[in-house]
Amino acid sequence: MLHLDITDAAGTLTGSQSQVDPTPTSPWWADAVVYQVYIRSFADGSGDGIGDLAGLRARIPYLAELGVDAIWINPWYPSPQADAGYDVADYRDIEPDYGTLAEADLLLAEAHDAGIKVILDIVPNHTSDHHAWFQAALAGDEAARARYIFRPGKGEAGEIEPNDWKSIFGGPAWTRTNNPDGTPGEWYLHLFAREQPDLDWENPEVVAEFQDILRFWFDRGVDGFRIDVAHGLSKPEGLPDAGEITGLTQHDVPHPAWDNEGVHEIYRGWRKVADGYDPERVFVAEAWVPSNERLARYLRPDELHTAFQFDFLRAPFDASYMKSVVDDARATVAAAGGTTTWVLSNHDVVRHVTRYARSQPDHYVESVWDRLRWHEEPADIALGVRRARAASMFILGLPGTVYLYQGEELGLPEVEDVPDEARQDPVFRIRPAGDIGRDGCRIPLPWGGDGDATGFSPAGATGQPWLPQPANWSEFNAADQESDPDSVLNLYRAALRLRRDQFADVTGFEWVHTSDDVAAFRHGDVEVWLNTGSTPVALPGGEVLLASAHDAQPGFLAPASAAWLRRS
């Protein structure tokens, strides 16, 4: 990673690291806090045990009180739910379990009235196998077939997959079809589940269709899109074998399926669509690429506005490592003229309370996806919550866009003991070696109230939550945290209020102290201090605006805690 600082032996900053941040004319997303809504698990308004638009609409006041600037909603389109809605059957409608298009319009209006922008998920790498295009392709429609990636197999009878690519979810990335007469046919590519056939973005009909989908939702008032698998749309000519490269998520090693040059022309077309609206719409890319230098290519002025910077998802609770993440991200994104983004958890990884609740092993960077390894030692959830409070204050003090995953403001841990019979993630069903999947970070939220559903569903509901909530879930419920001034919820509310008051349209960033256990920076007139060590650290004086922990001696920063200071 890049390091822009020069420190002396004591860890005190000796060089000038001041960097200019966006000016007061920056767009709204440049310093926004965006709340991720995993709609199926957010709030159930109908009583059937599945989160829906009615539940989300009822919680708009909660989100406004929390202080978020926008919400990002995971896929809400009609879907067979083979992969939690990331298998889209119709991009211009609403999943019936969630509500109707008319309710979606009401949500947009109500969120905007509350001062909250709305970002949707779009899934352009693949469709559902129930999509009308794919069904037509299977029926022999050549035009529909050309919108997907069908190839003849190898071997005398075409019985071998066209190449050696593996699915993200396990097994080959190819499934063989039958011809209309019942004889074995060609294979189609699916880099995820077999129910998610990849589209062929060399086909101009695919390009035009998705630009029209963007306009459909922009015209309804949607403020932007999070792009699923943004690095995956363009495939290389000839679909070459990957050989020994098996890490399809491309966290460290390039794979021929990902991050090909063709994606950039696609996003130049999308940017033209977004720029045609006033106010301008925004894109954020989910692009898993080997380096921030590769990520910055997506942020060129005529491409996407922002992209997720995932290094904090892989970072241990270690001040020096976290500082290096900040430096690397800021340097590369600034070179591209983009906006940095910060995120600690999402719907695909172990919640950071649980990541921080265990020791910080050498394999930490890799094990964020290796859910089985989290069972190797007991989890100290109290320690995880304490560290999570500090890490959240650290990223909320940074310039750039912050993404919060639903429930992190309640201090929710990963649910690691979901019964096998209740698990629904295709990762659990398909991936070898018994990967337990992602259901543990998708458990329905505990809002409070009586009954087993802890307020997720309305009183008197007959439906059970679509994933079971653990017996101790009520300990984290929002209703009780409302009245506790020291709760995680009220810490987040205070931090978001201060962020808006202190950092809106503020320029200037510099490190003021760094060491193995301490990272401190100045953002505008506020200093943000983080102590990841096991002993108290002396603060430099000034007014403590907010602290993540309440057990420090006056003038000191407690272990595993953070504080915001205003220096006189």
Side-chain angles (χ1 to χ4, degrees):
M1 293 185 174
L2 294 174
H3 292 272
L4 304 181
D5 62 299
I6 304 171
T7 57
D8 61 20
T12 303
L13 203 72
T14 59
S16 175
Q17 285 72 44
S18 181
Q19 299 179 30
V20 176
D21 290 317
T23 67
T25 58
S26 296
W28 66 266
W29 58 82
D31 59 3
V33 176
V34 183
Y35 185 97
Q36 180 186 352
V37 174
Y38 192 80
I39 188 168
R40 199 170 187 84
S41 296
F42 184 69
D44 169 23
S46 68
D48 62 358
I50 297 173
D52 50 31
L53 285 168
L56 176 53
R57 289 174 58 203
R59 298 295 179 178
I60 290 294
Y62 169 89
L63 295 169
E65 176 66 18
L66 182 59
V68 302
D69 301 291
I71 55 175
W72 150 36
I73 304 173
N74 287 101
W76 63 2
Y77 317 105
S79 167
Q81 302 295 321
D83 182 23
Y86 283 93
D87 50 318
V88 179
D90 183 350
Y91 290 85
R92 295 181 181 83
D93 207 346
I94 299 296
E95 164 60 39
D97 282 344
Y98 302 154
T100 65
L101 199 55
E103 286 181 277
D105 291 336
L106 289 173
L107 169 68
L108 287 165
E110 291 161 0
H112 289 158
D113 286 346
I116 297 173
K117 308 284 188 183
V118 178
I119 297 172
L120 300 184
D121 229 314
I122 192 165
V123 188
N125 181 71
H126 47 262
T127 71
S128 166
D129 60 352
H130 287 213
H131 192 284
W133 279 6
F134 194 71
Q135 288 297 304
L138 293 180
D141 184 323
E142 290 302 322
R145 196 176 186 84
R147 298 167 186 150
Y148 294 89
I149 300 176
F150 284 87
R151 293 291 186 274
K154 298 177 182 178
E156 293 184 5
E159 73 278 10
I160 302 173
E161 292 91 343
N163 69 17
D164 65 356
W165 293 2
K166 303 299 182 185
S167 164
I168 287 287
F169 293 160
W174 297 92
T175 290
R176 196 173 192 184
T177 62
N178 289 322
N179 295 316
D181 63 3
T183 60
E186 292 188 326
W187 302 72
Y188 68 87
L189 178 68
H190 53 87
L191 288 170
F192 293 84
R194 65 185 298 170
E195 297 91 346
Q196 295 169 291
D198 279 44
L199 289 160
D200 186 349
W201 276 87
E202 296 298 316
N203 189 319
E205 293 182 5
V206 174
V207 174
E209 169 72 357
F210 274 84
Q211 290 187 6
D212 190 68
I213 291 167
L214 297 178
R215 293 187 185 95
F216 175 85
W217 291 106
F218 286 156
D219 289 346
R220 302 188 90 90
V222 167
D223 300 288
F225 281 97
R226 176 262 191 187
I227 306 169
D228 184 61
V229 195
H231 56 301
L233 279 56
S234 176
K235 309 301 191 292
E237 184 176 355
L239 306 181
D241 283 348
E244 296 299 317
I245 303 172
T246 58
L248 275 181
T249 44
Q250 197 175 346
H251 301 142
D252 300 297
V253 181
H255 184 285
W258 305 123
D259 194 31
N260 290 289
E261 285 303 303
V263 299
H264 300 291
E265 188 60 32
I266 294 167
Y267 296 136
R268 291 185 186 101
W270 285 26
R271 182 62 178 260
K272 290 177 182 177
V273 173
D275 286 351
Y277 287 81
D278 184 18
E280 183 182 4
R281 293 350 189 213
V282 64
F283 294 117
V284 56
E286 181 209 29
W288 292 98
V289 293
S291 68
N292 281 323
E293 286 76 16
R294 295 297 301 178
L295 190 67
R297 295 170 60 81
Y298 291 76
L299 304 178
R300 289 174 287 198
D302 60 345
E303 294 189 41
L304 304 176
H305 307 83
T306 62
F308 284 122
Q309 210 290 338
F310 287 126
D311 285 348
F312 267 121
L313 288 176
R314 308 171 68 188
F317 188 72
D318 176 271
S320 61
Y321 193 103
M322 295 165 84
K323 177 187 178 296
S324 69
V325 167
V326 174
D327 282 342
D328 192 21
R330 283 176 51 78
T332 51
V333 170
T339 297
T340 48
T341 61
W342 314 109
V343 57
L344 293 171
S345 284
N346 65 29
H347 64 294
D348 283 330
V349 301
V350 174
R351 283 187 177 271
H352 62 278
V353 163
T354 298
R355 300 202 311 267
Y356 295 152
R358 292 188 166 101
S359 63
Q360 312 291 286
D362 292 339
H363 67 262
Y364 189 98
V365 170
E366 289 75 30
S367 63
V368 66
W369 294 277
D370 188 356
R371 295 164 186 86
L372 287 179
R373 296 179 80 165
W374 294 107
H375 293 278
E376 293 175 355
E377 61 174 293
D380 183 345
I381 296 301
L383 175 62
V385 170
R386 183 183 179 94
R387 288 173 167 173
R389 290 168 66 108
S392 298
M393 279 190 60
F394 184 73
I395 69 164
L396 285 168
L398 288 166
T401 311
V402 178
Y403 281 79
L404 309 178
Y405 180 46
Q406 67 177 40
E408 73 171 79
E409 80 281 9
L410 304 178
L412 295 184
E414 185 86 354
V415 178
E416 300 182 289
D417 57 354
V418 179
D420 285 356
E421 64 272 15
R423 292 189 180 277
Q424 302 192 32
D425 185 3
V427 168
F428 175 70
R429 172 171 52 89
I430 300 171
R431 187 174 288 176
D435 190 319
I436 59 176
R438 300 163 292 179
D439 293 312
C441 64
R442 301 174 176 184
I443 303 300
L445 296 189
W447 290 103
D450 298 326
D452 293 336
T454 61
F456 173 68
S457 298
T462 57
Q464 293 298 308
W466 73 283
L467 283 173
Q469 295 170 304
N472 70 337
W473 218 228
S474 60
E475 297 175 13
F476 300 94
N477 79 75
D480 289 344
Q481 292 200 37
E482 292 264 2
S483 58
D484 178 1
D486 296 334
S487 68
V488 180
L489 175 59
N490 281 315
L491 175 69
Y492 269 74
R493 287 177 171 175
L496 266 61
R497 283 194 299 270
L498 275 171
R499 177 184 169 91
R500 182 169 291 177
D501 292 343
Q502 300 294 328
F503 300 140
D505 295 328
V506 167
T507 60
F509 174 93
E510 62 179 334
W511 294 104
V512 296
H513 183 94
T514 59
S515 65
D516 288 344
D517 294 332
V518 177
F521 60 83
R522 181 181 296 112
H523 182 191
D525 296 328
V526 175
E527 290 186 6
V528 177
W529 284 70
L530 172 69
N531 177 12
T532 61
S534 57
T535 59
V537 172
L539 291 171
E543 177 189 3
V544 177
L545 302 175
L546 186 65
S548 68
H550 305 284
D551 56 353
Q553 305 168 28
F556 286 84
L557 184 62
S561 72
W564 292 2
L565 313 175
R566 181 185 288 116
R567 301 285 296 277
S568 57

